Amino acid sequence: METMLTSPVLDLENLEKSFGNCYALKGVDMSIPSGQIAGLLGPNASGKTTLLKTAAGLLCPTAGKINYFGGAKPGPEARKTIGFCPDAMVFPNWMKVIDAFTFYSEMYSDYSQDRADELMRILELKNILNTNARRLSKGMKERLVLGLTFSRETNLYLLDEPLDGIDPVGKTRVIDAILAMKPNNASTLISTHLVKDIERIFDSVFFLSKGKIVFSGLCDAIREERGQTIEQVYLDIFNSMSEGE
């Protein structure tokens, strides 16, 4: 039986990230409770990838705090406990699909072969295990990277645009994998601008624009209060912001 977590799995406090004089994140506050699937929604260049990479320990924050359940420190220590799914992954020339899973099994102590086998089934990877990973289509690479990410059994998964470049059938497979393979206590933060395709699985959403959270809330409460889908709210907010520029 899983032990219920009592603290947020991920908590960001006034997080800032700059590249020289350009600020990609500007005072972001975000808290993801145990068990939730949260959406990080915003147009291209809004700062979504920077936020996920910073939360994943791949980038050092310029200011603010990142708190993880269990007290891991940002950076290498945090990376050991976070399942991060990038929007693109470069595979070595020699690496086949099966080699990628073998690499993860040797790299991460939280890797589960049972989970990997189930993900291969859901994502339809079993028939391409001996295919060179670099030669896969964009959509199949996305499926592979997601399968590798969820082959780890951890408390936090960060997914950067997991539906980008995937056909409608593939999107269904990806969403099925997320729902089936997320441990009950784990939290998942998913960045996307393809809101319609995935909003049904979100418990909460954060709208990010130019490095700032401009709107957030629980999805059921948002739908009840506004009488709109999350996609409609998204379009209303970002269209009004665009018109105001």
Side-chain angles (χ1 to χ4, degrees):
M1 180 179 296
E2 290 182 291
T3 302
M4 290 304 297
L5 307 183
T6 57
S7 301
V9 173
L10 176 66
D11 189 57
L12 310 180
E13 299 180 30
N14 198 31
L15 187 68
E16 296 187 356
K17 177 60 184 176
S18 65
F19 300 94
N21 294 325
C22 177
Y23 272 81
L25 300 176
K26 306 173 183 178
V28 172
D29 293 309
M30 176 185 295
S31 185
I32 312 294
S34 165
Q36 273 203 2
I37 299 178
L40 179 63
L41 312 180
N44 291 331
S46 60
K48 300 190 301 296
T49 294
T50 299
L51 191 153
L52 289 186
K53 285 185 174 181
T54 305
L58 298 173
L59 295 174
C60 294
T62 303
K65 293 183 179 180
I66 306 175
N67 302 304
Y68 305 99
F69 179 83
K73 297 179 180 179
E77 184 178 332
R79 290 201 294 271
K80 294 179 181 178
T81 64
I82 295 172
F84 177 60
C85 179
D87 61 346
M89 183 180 287
V90 178
F91 296 96
N93 288 327
W94 57 268
M95 184 173 280
K96 298 178 181 179
V97 171
I98 188 61
D99 297 327
F101 281 98
T102 300
F103 176 80
Y104 262 60
S105 72
E106 296 172 350
M107 178 68 68
Y108 297 107
S109 61
D110 53 15
Y111 177 89
S112 164
Q113 190 59 53
D114 288 341
R115 291 176 63 82
D117 290 340
E118 181 63 8
L119 285 156
M120 290 178 200
R121 184 191 68 79
I122 296 173
L123 296 168
E124 296 186 328
L125 298 173
K126 289 195 173 224
N127 292 331
I128 62 168
L129 291 179
N130 289 315
T131 302
N132 187 297
R134 293 188 71 140
R135 296 179 182 175
L136 296 177
S137 66
K138 179 174 175 57
M140 290 307 296
K141 282 182 181 176
E142 293 283 358
R143 293 197 205 186
L144 172 57
V145 176
L146 186 79
L148 294 170
T149 302
F150 274 98
S151 67
R152 300 175 58 194
E153 188 164 11
T154 186
N155 290 326
L156 178 61
Y157 300 91
L158 304 175
L159 315 182
D160 193 7
E161 299 284 359
L163 302 181
D164 196 27
I166 298 183
D167 61 72
V169 173
K171 288 175 183 176
T172 299
R173 292 280 179 182
V174 166
I175 292 171
D176 287 347
I178 294 171
L179 290 174
M181 302 308 295
K182 183 186 80 65
N184 289 337
N185 285 336
S187 298
T188 304
L189 179 61
I190 305 173
S191 78
T192 187
H193 60 276
L194 303 173
V195 184
K196 182 178 181 180
D197 294 318
I198 198 172
E199 71 163 85
R200 66 180 175 85
I201 75 170
F202 291 147
D203 298 299
S204 60
V205 287
F206 299 85
F207 291 5
L208 189 69
S209 176
K210 297 180 180 178
K212 295 181 179 180
I213 299 293
V214 295
F215 181 80
S216 64
L218 295 173
C219 291
D220 287 345
I222 293 170
R223 295 186 184 103
E224 183 175 348
E225 291 170 6
R226 290 179 171 253
Q228 295 177 298
T229 65
I230 301 302
E231 182 193 32
Q232 289 169 333
V233 176
Y234 175 91
L235 292 173
D236 283 352
I237 288 177
F238 284 105
N239 283 337
S240 65
M241 292 178 66
S242 178
E243 292 169 358
E245 292 179 351

